């Protein structure tokens, strides 16, 4: 099953896009998200009334409420597939509102930010750059059944050889009914360190690919004195067996699919 979603903030009009077979060029640059990385939504209540300062948004109350109405229509499927054009002077919050809409739709909704000057300074053609931006902004949810290991992390042990530098490790996982120790390979150790997984986290391990996903913190650790931000999510410790079959949802963009096809 595939489900399409996404939001793109760019002045322009919709166009029909065909997937390319040849190798896809990618834009290598530093993502300009620092000024808006604190935004978590539009700062509206359940009745779409604005709050003075909420979810990283301040000011532009009328524009935020209008964006909230459009957001509600998107969720209800009334204007799906249509574009939204926002106008205003530089620094008035157009990009912030667009990012707030994307965050409100869900963390896995793609958001692509680009300036008009970038289109004229790329090695690729203007049309190719715009098509790539559109395809980066359209996500696909792919659902499949997979064998996974799901549990709460009890302990992680990682050792590094002084002579060879080889890493070895073990992770202890538990559910409400059982507890098991698993050996870790190099890729899984790197993934654990990259995701900053520690004792008390609820994780899943895909048995086929070895991919590790962090679901959140255990409710049993909610009273611990840890450095936790507003995005920290608490979940219950899994029940039953550690190994189980579960429907897994992968989110990829059309551009990522283009890149995979071009390398195949």
């Amino acid at each position: 099953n595939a489900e399409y979603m996404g939001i793109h903030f760019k002045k322009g009009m919709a166009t029909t896009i065909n997937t390319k077979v040849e190798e896809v060029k990618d834009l290598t640059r530093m993502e300009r998200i620092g000024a808006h990385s604190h935004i978590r939504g539009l700062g509206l209540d359940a009745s779409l009334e604005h709050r003075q300062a909420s979810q990283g948004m301040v000011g532009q109350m009328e524009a935020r409420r209008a964006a909230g109405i459009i957001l509600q229509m998107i969720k209800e499927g009334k204007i799906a597939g249509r574009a939204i054009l926002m106008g205003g002077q530089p620094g008035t919050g157009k990009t912030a509102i667009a990012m707030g809409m994307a965050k409100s739709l869900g963390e896995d909704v793609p958001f692509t930010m680009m300036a008009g000057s970038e289109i004229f300074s790329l090695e690729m053609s203007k049309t190719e750059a715009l098509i790539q931006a559109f395809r980066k902004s359209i996500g696909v949810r792919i659902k499949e059944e997979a064998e996974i290991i799901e549990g709460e992390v009890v302990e992680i042990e990682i050792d590094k050889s002084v002579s060879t530098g080889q890493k070895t490790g073990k992770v202890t996982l538990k559910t409400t009914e059982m507890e098991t120790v698993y050996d870790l390979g190099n890729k899984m150790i790197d993934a654990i360190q990259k995701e900053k997984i520690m004792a008390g986290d609820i994780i899943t391990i895909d048995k086929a690919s070895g991919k590790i996903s962090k679901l959140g913190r255990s409710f049993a650790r909610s009273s611990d004195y840890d450095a936790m931000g507003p995005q920290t999510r608490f979940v219950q410790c899994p029940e039953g067996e550690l190994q189980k079959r579960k429907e897994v949802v992968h989110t990829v963009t059309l551009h990522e699919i283009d890149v995979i096809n071009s390398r195949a």
Side-chain angles (χ1 to χ4, degrees):
N1 296 324
E3 181 182 349
Y4 295 90
M5 44 66 187
I7 184 168
H8 179 246
F9 178 47
K10 182 73 184 73
K11 294 181 180 179
M13 54 186 179
T15 180
T16 303
I17 302 171
N18 296 320
T19 304
K20 296 186 177 181
V21 179
E22 65 269 14
E23 185 174 356
V24 177
K25 297 178 183 177
D26 201 356
L27 175 60
T28 304
R29 60 183 171 86
M30 184 179 293
E31 293 292 338
R32 299 174 294 106
I33 61 172
H36 305 96
S37 58
H38 62 288
I39 294 173
R40 304 187 306 276
L42 289 172
L44 304 174
D45 58 21
S47 60
L48 300 182
E49 291 297 328
H50 62 267
R51 299 187 179 98
Q52 183 65 28
S54 177
Q55 295 182 317
M57 299 290 285
V58 178
Q60 292 291 6
M61 279 76 80
E62 293 183 4
R64 281 159 50 197
R65 188 174 187 278
I69 295 172
I70 295 172
L71 191 68
Q72 193 66 32
M73 295 173 69
I74 292 173
K75 291 179 178 179
E76 295 173 0
K78 294 181 178 179
I79 59 171
R82 296 178 178 239
I84 303 166
L85 178 64
M86 289 186 280
Q89 295 296 318
T92 52
K94 301 184 298 297
T95 305
I97 290 174
M99 181 171 283
M101 293 176 70
K103 292 289 186 182
S104 299
L105 287 170
E107 288 295 327
D108 58 347
V109 174
F111 181 83
T112 306
M113 186 193 309
M114 67 184 304
S117 58
E118 295 174 10
I119 301 175
F120 294 92
S121 60
L122 299 175
E123 294 180 358
M124 63 181 73
S125 67
K126 301 176 184 62
T127 302
E128 189 176 1
L130 287 173
I131 289 176
Q132 185 180 111
F134 272 114
R135 295 183 74 79
K136 281 183 177 180
S137 307
I138 301 175
V140 182
R141 291 192 183 105
I142 302 173
K143 301 177 182 179
E144 63 175 355
E145 272 202 359
E147 287 192 7
I148 64 169
I149 300 169
E150 183 179 31
E152 178 183 338
V153 178
V154 178
E155 186 181 11
I156 300 174
E157 297 180 10
I158 299 176
D159 298 319
K160 186 175 182 180
S161 173
V162 178
S163 57
T164 62
Q166 185 79 8
K167 293 180 181 179
T168 57
K170 294 181 179 181
V171 60
T172 305
L173 299 177
K174 73 171 185 177
T175 64
T176 55
E177 300 177 10
M178 62 183 298
E179 182 174 310
T180 309
V181 179
Y182 295 94
D183 292 325
L184 298 173
N186 286 328
K187 289 185 178 179
M188 296 179 72
I189 291 174
D190 292 340
I192 284 176
Q193 292 176 336
K194 182 180 179 181
E195 295 291 332
K196 299 180 180 178
I197 293 172
M198 57 184 176
D201 289 338
I202 308 296
I203 66 171
T204 61
I205 304 174
D206 191 321
K207 291 186 66 177
S209 63
K211 181 182 178 182
I212 299 177
S213 302
K214 182 176 176 180
L215 303 181
R217 292 284 290 170
S218 172
F219 271 113
R221 300 292 186 113
S222 60
S223 59
D224 291 359
Y225 185 75
D226 291 330
M228 293 178 293
Q231 298 301 317
T232 302
R233 180 185 178 191
F234 290 99
V235 295
Q236 295 286 357
C237 181
E239 300 178 351
E241 298 285 331
L242 278 163
Q243 299 187 38
K244 60 190 75 173
R245 292 190 65 86
K246 188 176 181 180
E247 185 181 78
V248 181
V249 180
H250 304 284
T251 303
V252 295
T253 65
L254 294 184
H255 174 70
E256 290 172 336
I257 295 175
D258 292 342
V259 173
I260 293 170
N261 290 337
S262 68
R263 294 173 181 173

